[in-house]
mmCIF file of all heavy atoms in Angstrom:
data_model
loop_
_atom_site.group_PDB
_atom_site.id
_atom_site.type_symbol
_atom_site.label_atom_id
_atom_site.label_comp_id
_atom_site.label_asym_id
_atom_site.label_seq_id
_atom_site.Cartn_x
_atom_site.Cartn_y
_atom_site.Cartn_z
ATOM 1 N N GLY A 244 -4.855 -13.812 11.079
ATOM 2 C CA GLY A 244 -4.133 -15.061 10.665
ATOM 3 C C GLY A 244 -3.315 -14.856 9.433
ATOM 4 O O GLY A 244 -3.051 -15.867 8.719
ATOM 5 N N VAL A 245 -2.826 -13.633 9.091
ATOM 6 C CA VAL A 245 -2.071 -13.436 7.898
ATOM 7 C C VAL A 245 -0.596 -13.202 8.326
ATOM 8 O O VAL A 245 -0.248 -12.424 9.232
ATOM 9 C CB VAL A 245 -2.559 -12.132 7.171
ATOM 10 C CG1 VAL A 245 -1.678 -11.955 5.912
ATOM 11 C CG2 VAL A 245 -4.008 -12.327 6.727
ATOM 12 N N HIS A 246 0.321 -13.947 7.718
ATOM 13 C CA HIS A 246 1.732 -13.784 8.006
ATOM 14 C C HIS A 246 2.281 -12.522 7.338
ATOM 15 O O HIS A 246 1.900 -12.212 6.294
ATOM 16 C CB HIS A 246 2.588 -15.017 7.540
ATOM 17 C CG HIS A 246 3.916 -15.122 8.104
ATOM 18 N ND1 HIS A 246 4.946 -14.433 7.588
ATOM 19 C CD2 HIS A 246 4.388 -15.828 9.100
ATOM 20 C CE1 HIS A 246 6.039 -14.732 8.282
ATOM 21 N NE2 HIS A 246 5.771 -15.573 9.203
ATOM 22 N N PRO A 247 3.135 -11.800 8.048
ATOM 23 C CA PRO A 247 3.688 -10.581 7.466
ATOM 24 C C PRO A 247 4.317 -10.808 6.085
ATOM 25 O O PRO A 247 4.295 -9.920 5.199
ATOM 26 C CB PRO A 247 4.768 -10.092 8.490
ATOM 27 C CG PRO A 247 4.228 -10.612 9.734
ATOM 28 C CD PRO A 247 3.645 -11.973 9.402
ATOM 29 N N ARG A 248 4.937 -11.962 5.854
ATOM 30 C CA ARG A 248 5.537 -12.268 4.597
ATOM 31 C C ARG A 248 4.509 -12.343 3.428
ATOM 32 O O ARG A 248 4.711 -11.893 2.289
ATOM 33 C CB ARG A 248 6.361 -13.621 4.639
ATOM 34 C CG ARG A 248 7.178 -13.886 3.421
ATOM 35 C CD ARG A 248 7.894 -15.127 3.513
ATOM 36 N NE ARG A 248 8.753 -15.268 4.690
ATOM 37 C CZ ARG A 248 8.514 -16.029 5.723
ATOM 38 N NH1 ARG A 248 7.417 -16.783 5.747
ATOM 39 N NH2 ARG A 248 9.333 -16.061 6.677
ATOM 40 N N VAL A 249 3.281 -12.949 3.773
ATOM 41 C CA VAL A 249 2.258 -13.039 2.788
ATOM 42 C C VAL A 249 1.736 -11.606 2.469
ATOM 43 O O VAL A 249 1.446 -11.233 1.328
ATOM 44 C CB VAL A 249 1.104 -13.863 3.419
ATOM 45 C CG1 VAL A 249 -0.066 -13.874 2.461
ATOM 46 C CG2 VAL A 249 1.586 -15.277 3.521
ATOM 47 N N LEU A 250 1.617 -10.774 3.566
ATOM 48 C CA LEU A 250 1.130 -9.414 3.337
ATOM 49 C C LEU A 250 2.088 -8.607 2.400
ATOM 50 O O LEU A 250 1.690 -7.942 1.467
ATOM 51 C CB LEU A 250 0.981 -8.670 4.641
ATOM 52 C CG LEU A 250 0.441 -7.317 4.606
ATOM 53 C CD1 LEU A 250 -0.986 -7.226 4.067
ATOM 54 C CD2 LEU A 250 0.514 -6.569 5.991
ATOM 55 N N LEU A 251 3.443 -8.841 2.634
ATOM 56 C CA LEU A 251 4.344 -8.053 1.846
ATOM 57 C C LEU A 251 4.289 -8.604 0.367
ATOM 58 O O LEU A 251 4.405 -7.801 -0.517
ATOM 59 C CB LEU A 251 5.800 -8.350 2.408
ATOM 60 C CG LEU A 251 6.956 -7.704 1.643
ATOM 61 C CD1 LEU A 251 6.790 -6.223 1.617
ATOM 62 C CD2 LEU A 251 8.290 -8.067 2.225
ATOM 63 N N ARG A 252 4.103 -9.887 0.242
ATOM 64 C CA ARG A 252 4.042 -10.461 -1.150
ATOM 65 C C ARG A 252 2.814 -9.889 -1.940
ATOM 66 O O ARG A 252 2.832 -9.687 -3.155
ATOM 67 C CB ARG A 252 4.040 -11.989 -1.104
ATOM 68 C CG ARG A 252 4.126 -12.650 -2.497
ATOM 69 C CD ARG A 252 4.340 -14.115 -2.398
ATOM 70 N NE ARG A 252 3.211 -14.813 -1.756
ATOM 71 C CZ ARG A 252 3.294 -15.437 -0.562
ATOM 72 N NH1 ARG A 252 4.487 -15.414 0.108
ATOM 73 N NH2 ARG A 252 2.257 -16.101 -0.083
ATOM 74 N N ARG A 253 1.721 -9.789 -1.212
ATOM 75 C CA ARG A 253 0.558 -9.192 -1.851
ATOM 76 C C ARG A 253 0.496 -7.657 -2.023
ATOM 77 O O ARG A 253 -0.145 -7.152 -2.889
ATOM 78 C CB ARG A 253 -0.738 -9.739 -1.107
ATOM 79 C CG ARG A 253 -0.917 -11.166 -1.214
ATOM 80 C CD ARG A 253 -2.359 -11.537 -0.958
ATOM 81 N NE ARG A 253 -2.639 -12.962 -1.280
ATOM 82 C CZ ARG A 253 -3.797 -13.432 -1.461
ATOM 83 N NH1 ARG A 253 -4.877 -12.628 -1.417
ATOM 84 N NH2 ARG A 253 -3.995 -14.760 -1.760
ATOM 85 N N ALA A 254 1.243 -6.991 -1.172
ATOM 86 C CA ALA A 254 1.145 -5.525 -1.119
ATOM 87 C C ALA A 254 2.349 -4.901 -1.845
ATOM 88 O O ALA A 254 2.482 -3.664 -1.801
ATOM 89 C CB ALA A 254 1.088 -5.038 0.273
ATOM 90 N N TRP A 255 3.287 -5.684 -2.498
ATOM 91 C CA TRP A 255 4.425 -5.104 -3.123
ATOM 92 C C TRP A 255 4.133 -3.998 -4.115
ATOM 93 O O TRP A 255 4.945 -3.056 -4.284
ATOM 94 C CB TRP A 255 5.376 -6.156 -3.637
ATOM 95 C CG TRP A 255 4.835 -6.834 -4.881
ATOM 96 C CD1 TRP A 255 4.184 -8.041 -4.931
ATOM 97 C CD2 TRP A 255 4.955 -6.342 -6.246
ATOM 98 N NE1 TRP A 255 3.898 -8.347 -6.217
ATOM 99 C CE2 TRP A 255 4.331 -7.422 -7.041
ATOM 100 C CE3 TRP A 255 5.520 -5.356 -6.835
ATOM 101 C CZ2 TRP A 255 4.284 -7.297 -8.476
ATOM 102 C CZ3 TRP A 255 5.445 -5.184 -8.254
ATOM 103 C CH2 TRP A 255 4.865 -6.161 -8.977
ATOM 104 N N PRO A 256 3.020 -4.072 -4.928
ATOM 105 C CA PRO A 256 2.744 -2.976 -5.836
ATOM 106 C C PRO A 256 2.611 -1.621 -5.229
ATOM 107 O O PRO A 256 2.879 -0.574 -5.860
ATOM 108 C CB PRO A 256 1.508 -3.456 -6.542
ATOM 109 C CG PRO A 256 1.483 -4.909 -6.443
ATOM 110 C CD PRO A 256 2.028 -5.237 -5.063
ATOM 111 N N LEU A 257 2.248 -1.629 -3.889
ATOM 112 C CA LEU A 257 2.150 -0.366 -3.163
ATOM 113 C C LEU A 257 3.464 0.307 -3.067
ATOM 114 O O LEU A 257 3.591 1.561 -3.008
ATOM 115 C CB LEU A 257 1.571 -0.581 -1.810
ATOM 116 C CG LEU A 257 0.180 -1.106 -1.711
ATOM 117 C CD1 LEU A 257 -0.245 -1.366 -0.249
ATOM 118 C CD2 LEU A 257 -0.857 -0.168 -2.361
ATOM 119 N N LEU A 258 4.560 -0.450 -2.977
ATOM 120 C CA LEU A 258 5.897 0.104 -2.986
ATOM 121 C C LEU A 258 6.182 0.889 -4.246
ATOM 122 O O LEU A 258 6.811 1.967 -4.192
ATOM 123 C CB LEU A 258 6.944 -0.944 -2.739
ATOM 124 C CG LEU A 258 6.795 -1.782 -1.424
ATOM 125 C CD1 LEU A 258 7.814 -2.877 -1.388
ATOM 126 C CD2 LEU A 258 6.976 -0.864 -0.277
ATOM 127 N N LEU A 259 5.812 0.426 -5.408
ATOM 128 C CA LEU A 259 5.960 1.057 -6.686
ATOM 129 C C LEU A 259 5.206 2.363 -6.720
ATOM 130 O O LEU A 259 5.686 3.381 -7.120
ATOM 131 C CB LEU A 259 5.586 0.216 -7.833
ATOM 132 C CG LEU A 259 6.368 -1.158 -8.009
ATOM 133 C CD1 LEU A 259 5.869 -1.927 -9.199
ATOM 134 C CD2 LEU A 259 7.865 -0.790 -8.125
ATOM 135 N N SER A 260 3.920 2.306 -6.223
ATOM 136 C CA SER A 260 3.174 3.573 -6.243
ATOM 137 C C SER A 260 3.711 4.565 -5.340
ATOM 138 O O SER A 260 3.699 5.764 -5.586
ATOM 139 C CB SER A 260 1.708 3.175 -5.836
ATOM 140 O OG SER A 260 1.598 2.695 -4.565
ATOM 141 N N ALA A 261 4.258 4.119 -4.165
ATOM 142 C CA ALA A 261 4.879 5.081 -3.213
ATOM 143 C C ALA A 261 6.045 5.758 -3.885
ATOM 144 O O ALA A 261 6.258 6.936 -3.739
ATOM 145 C CB ALA A 261 5.306 4.271 -1.922
ATOM 146 N N ALA A 262 6.882 4.935 -4.525
ATOM 147 C CA ALA A 262 8.085 5.564 -5.230
ATOM 148 C C ALA A 262 7.629 6.500 -6.285
ATOM 149 O O ALA A 262 8.232 7.606 -6.455
ATOM 150 C CB ALA A 262 8.923 4.375 -5.918
#
Side-chain angles (χ1 to χ4, degrees):
V245 180
H246 195 277
R248 189 183 302 110
V249 174
L250 181 66
L251 181 61
R252 187 168 64 246
R253 293 207 169 193
W255 69 265
L257 297 178
L258 299 176
L259 298 180
S260 63

